[in-house]
Amino acid sequence: MNTPPLAPGAADGVVDVDVVVIGAGFAGLYAVHRAVQRGHRTLGVEAGAGVGGTWYWNRYPGARCDVESIDYSYSFDPDLEQEWTWSERYATQPEILSYLEHAADRYDLRRHYRFGERVVAAEFDDVASRWTVRTDAGTVARCQWLFCATGSLSAPNRPDIPGLDDFAGDVVMTAAWPEEGYDVTDKRVGVIGTGSSGIQSIPVLARDAARLTVFQRTPNYSVPAFNRPLTEEEQKEARRTYRERRALSFAGGAGTPHQPYPRPIWEVDEEERRQAFEARWREGGVLFAKTFVDQTIDERINDLAREFVEEKVRAIVRDPQVADDLLPDDHPIGTKRICTDSDYFETFNRDNVELVNLRRDPIQTITGWGVKTEDSSYELDVLVLATGFDAMTGAMTRMDIQGPRGGTMEQAWASGPITFLGVAVPGFPNLFTITGPGSPSVLANMVLAAEQQVDWLLDLVDHCRAEGHATVEARADAARAWTDHVDEVANGTLFVRADSWYRGANIDGKARVFMPYIGGFHTYIARCEESKDLGYAGFVMGS
Ligand code: FAD
Ligand code: NAP
């Protein structure tokens, strides 16, 4: 039974607490831990049956992080850093999940949670200054402060492909992979989607499947992870230098200690430029997007980076037509998240793997036996949907969140999310979003980003309490100005040239607005501190 002991006042069936935290991923667990530590009666609610968030749901073969694990981990407790051992540069999903389970046990967090319950609605009572939160299991909770740690990539996108429901085989989603696992051995497998999830899973699925057909609508840039076990020496070194590493991460643009090449590209000759790209390529993955300063701002630099990667891919893939099909031509490199793979391009040299270019031969319909494209038919036993997420806003707008002056979050964000500092939304007092739109979020190391926001928000709550304020709300003008600033900074980069999920472009009908703050993690932290130093400028408090 998972009734939280710190959720008193349930006489009328209503759980009465100070803080409700929705979500038990990196952000939610940290929020619950810190809220309890600060003496708030706290209830956590999580739709999944356990902790982990992203790492609970995305159990597909090949799933691992693309930020090195020694960085992609909690920084708040040096003891935790010292006692945990990451076995590889980029840990697998099971290892990250066991890390989060360890954290949940170490800080005794599970007892505050109700698992397996999805929050379906929340409404704010202006008179009592409290949120009433309702779950699909019938729990009703009242709280003063509502922390939405609901995830930026947690609302899976099931594509609207004609006939999908008629498929007689199994349909599995990477974003909701069966907990008990799913064995593709000797099966004819089709994968729809070639983003990070598809690109990580395809090589692993190909090893076991009888046949693997990859249905690709848009190719993505991918750089090999060069993943490997960490040596004992490296683990020791990481433990020894953790404090400096974290300091660099918090002072960096993307929440990791890595810096771009120390010299501007135009000051180095061709040989040095090549070596710099080669060194970054060998470091692996997303870091390649930032080899040189301004690589995602100046198209000429971007073109050089792109050409380098294209050459690498063409050297791996044996069939030149397949190589052509696997190379993007619709966006500057790095303006969609570069995927981090292990043997992705090599997989297309296997005899049991086929690439279907949906731009040339679109899916007509899915039938009981498989996929029918305009020119061909593919008989399948399993269809894997690696089709992404309603990113950044989906988890919030899928709940019926009602503000006190009428209107839902979905309505408030219909033309794109509007926030102040990515943490608060005008019209929704005492509600906070963690790593949501308007914050560095998905463009930073999300673990550190969550820590920073949770600490800052709990300071805000303590400030309100100390000053006798029952409510705090983002001012409409401050939120407009911040959201315009987020847009303006993005417009100064090449990111706005990509039809990415950063811009809502993967979901039909969604507003095309660049959602994360691209001005840098360190700059963002400074903006938050500035507001705090000015007595939380940008917010209005009420008694
Ligand atoms: P999540 O981990 O998404 O947790 C949110 C939780 O809220 C979920 O468990 C969800 O069930 C729950 N929830 C949502 N709505 C409700 C509701 N209405 N009621 C109850 N519960 C609800 N980021 C990086 O920085 N580095 C990486 O290497 C990296 N790798 C990734 C790999 C994958 C496969 C994916 C999908 C994302 C990856 N990300 C990565 C982004 C990742 O989402 C974040 O790093 C981080 O795990 C987010 O933590 P979170 O707690 O904010 O959200
Ligand atoms: P994604 O990047 O949005 O990719 C979804 C894929 O599905 C795209 O190729 C898309 O094609 C395709 N698709 C969607 N609907 C389709 C349809 N109707 N028909 C055909 N194809 C369709 O999603 P994701 O791969 O899950 O990754 C999302 C983000 O999660 C990543 O960018 C990353 O931030 C994070 N992530 C990280 C890792 C990691 O390496 N650690 C792993 C997984 C995820 P179009 O582009 O044509 O729409």
Side-chain angles (χ1 to χ4, degrees):
M1 184 59 203
N2 57 14
T3 305
L6 290 187
D12 57 352
V14 176
V15 182
D16 193 42
V17 288
D18 302 318
V19 172
V20 165
V21 174
I22 312 176
F26 270 107
L29 290 174
Y30 184 64
V32 167
H33 175 51
R34 285 304 207 204
V36 170
Q37 243 183 4
R38 290 186 187 217
H40 300 294
R41 296 170 307 148
T42 302
L43 171 72
V45 185
E46 167 56 57
V51 302
T54 288
W55 304 103
Y56 170 87
W57 295 106
N58 293 264
R59 296 166 190 256
Y60 59 83
R64 46 175 89 241
C65 54
D66 60 2
V67 170
E68 285 171 279
S69 293
I70 52 174
D71 299 317
Y72 185 66
S73 49
Y74 287 127
S75 75
F76 70 92
D77 184 350
D79 289 342
L80 177 62
E81 289 172 345
Q82 294 302 316
E83 75 198 19
W84 186 263
T85 300
W86 291 109
S87 66
E88 298 175 61
R89 279 186 79 204
Y90 301 98
T92 57
Q93 173 272 328
E95 189 167 335
I96 304 171
L97 181 57
S98 54
Y99 172 78
L100 285 164
E101 286 172 341
H102 170 73
D105 292 336
R106 194 185 195 289
Y107 305 107
D108 197 13
L109 303 179
R110 290 180 213 261
R111 68 197 179 101
H112 304 290
Y113 269 96
R114 288 185 181 224
F115 292 106
E117 296 194 27
R118 182 169 289 282
V119 171
V120 287
E123 69 208 89
F124 191 74
D125 175 346
D126 221 2
V127 178
S129 300
R130 292 179 88 71
W131 283 96
T132 302
V133 177
R134 295 170 204 281
T135 79
D136 59 359
T139 295
V140 181
R142 260 196 301 264
C143 63
Q144 190 173 2
W145 315 101
L146 180 56
F147 281 65
C148 299
T150 43
S152 311
L153 294 158
S154 59
N157 169 40
R158 190 179 164 91
D160 187 17
I161 302 176
L164 180 54
D165 292 338
D166 301 333
F167 182 59
D170 292 330
V171 177
V172 274
M173 292 190 89
T174 49
W177 199 262
E179 197 168 338
E180 63 283 7
Y182 186 87
D183 186 6
V184 298
T185 303
D186 298 334
K187 293 188 169 134
R188 296 164 303 173
V189 180
V191 177
I192 299 182
T194 49
S196 298
S197 304
I199 282 178
Q200 279 189 332
S201 57
I202 283 163
V204 188
L205 294 170
R207 275 177 229 148
D208 293 331
R211 278 208 65 72
L212 183 78
T213 311
V214 177
F215 297 95
Q216 172 195 273
R217 190 164 64 184
T218 315
N220 268 298
Y221 290 106
S222 188
V223 172
F226 293 101
N227 186 42
R228 56 175 171 75
L230 289 171
T231 63
E232 240 174 76
E233 210 38 58
E234 285 169 321
Q235 286 163 351
K236 255 197 232 152
E237 180 65 4
R239 288 200 184 95
R240 198 183 61 73
T241 56
Y242 245 130
R243 294 298 86 208
E244 296 116 78
R245 214 175 160 102
R246 298 302 196 183
L248 283 171
S249 297
F250 277 105
T256 70
H258 304 281
Q259 303 293 329
Y261 196 71
R263 297 178 62 198
I265 197 166
W266 306 124
E267 286 180 16
V268 303
D269 62 22
E270 200 183 327
E271 180 54 26
E272 188 175 343
R273 185 175 79 215
R274 223 192 138 70
Q275 279 171 9
F277 279 135
E278 183 68 34
R280 257 302 153 92
W281 171 269
R282 297 211 155 266
E283 269 189 83
V286 286
L287 283 175
F288 189 84
K290 294 185 179 172
T291 310
F292 285 101
V293 169
D294 288 349
Q295 195 169 303
T296 47
I297 291 178
D298 183 333
E299 192 166 8
R300 294 167 309 156
I301 307 177
N302 196 280
D303 279 344
L304 292 167
R306 197 176 44 71
E307 282 159 21
F308 179 89
V309 167
E310 287 178 6
E311 217 179 280
K312 289 280 189 193
V313 173
R314 288 186 200 286
I316 299 171
V317 181
R318 282 201 288 269
D319 182 330
Q321 178 63 60
V322 175
D324 259 356
D325 287 346
L326 287 169
L327 284 168
D329 60 4
D330 66 332
H331 67 277
I333 187 167
T335 57
K336 286 181 171 181
R337 192 174 182 87
I338 292 186
C339 305
T340 301
D341 73 270
S342 297
D343 295 336
Y344 178 62
F345 295 109
E346 289 82 348
T347 298
F348 293 91
N349 294 333
R350 294 177 66 106
D351 292 338
N352 69 334
V353 174
E354 182 178 6
L355 180 70
V356 179
N357 182 337
L358 299 180
R359 298 272 177 215
R360 262 202 312 274
D361 186 15
I363 294 179
Q364 212 172 52
T365 182
I366 295 177
T367 69
W369 45 260
V371 172
K372 173 141 188 32
T373 60
E374 277 179 13
D375 296 339
S376 298
S377 298
Y378 301 89
E379 285 188 32
L380 302 170
D381 303 308
V382 191
L383 200 47
V384 174
L385 301 178
T387 43
F389 302 87
D390 183 354
M392 308 220 61
T393 55
M396 292 295 291
T397 56
R398 286 180 188 186
M399 293 183 281
D400 180 17
I401 302 176
Q402 302 267 354
R405 296 186 291 280
T408 64
M409 188 67 76
E410 191 181 9
Q411 289 163 341
W413 282 2
S415 310
I418 171 152
T419 73
F420 180 57
L421 293 175
V423 290
V425 186
F428 298 87
N430 295 13
L431 176 150
F432 307 119
T433 53
I434 319 286
T435 69
S439 77
S441 177
V442 292
L443 298 174
N445 170 353
M446 292 192 71
V447 183
L448 304 195
E451 287 181 336
Q452 181 266 337
Q453 287 193 329
V454 166
D455 289 339
W456 192 88
L457 285 167
L458 285 169
D459 285 351
L460 171 62
V461 165
D462 285 353
H463 171 84
C464 290
R465 289 201 147 182
E467 301 286 317
H469 302 304
T471 61
V472 59
E473 183 178 338
R475 272 190 2 228
D477 59 339
R480 185 69 268 157
W482 176 254
T483 304
D484 288 347
H485 173 64
V486 170
D487 190 49
E488 186 188 307
V489 182
N491 280 329
T493 72
L494 300 173
F495 276 76
V496 289
R497 299 248 307 267
D499 282 335
S500 64
W501 56 257
Y502 298 141
R503 296 180 59 228
N506 64 327
I507 301 293
D508 285 344
K510 190 166 173 173
R512 297 287 187 270
V513 172
F514 194 84
M515 293 181 281
Y517 175 61
I518 201 171
F521 188 38
H522 51 332
T523 315
Y524 172 77
I525 295 173
R527 292 297 294 261
C528 291
E529 291 311 304
E530 217 173 274
S531 160
K532 185 189 205 167
D533 291 346
L534 295 169
Y536 294 100
F539 289 93
V540 58
M541 322 273 181
S543 52

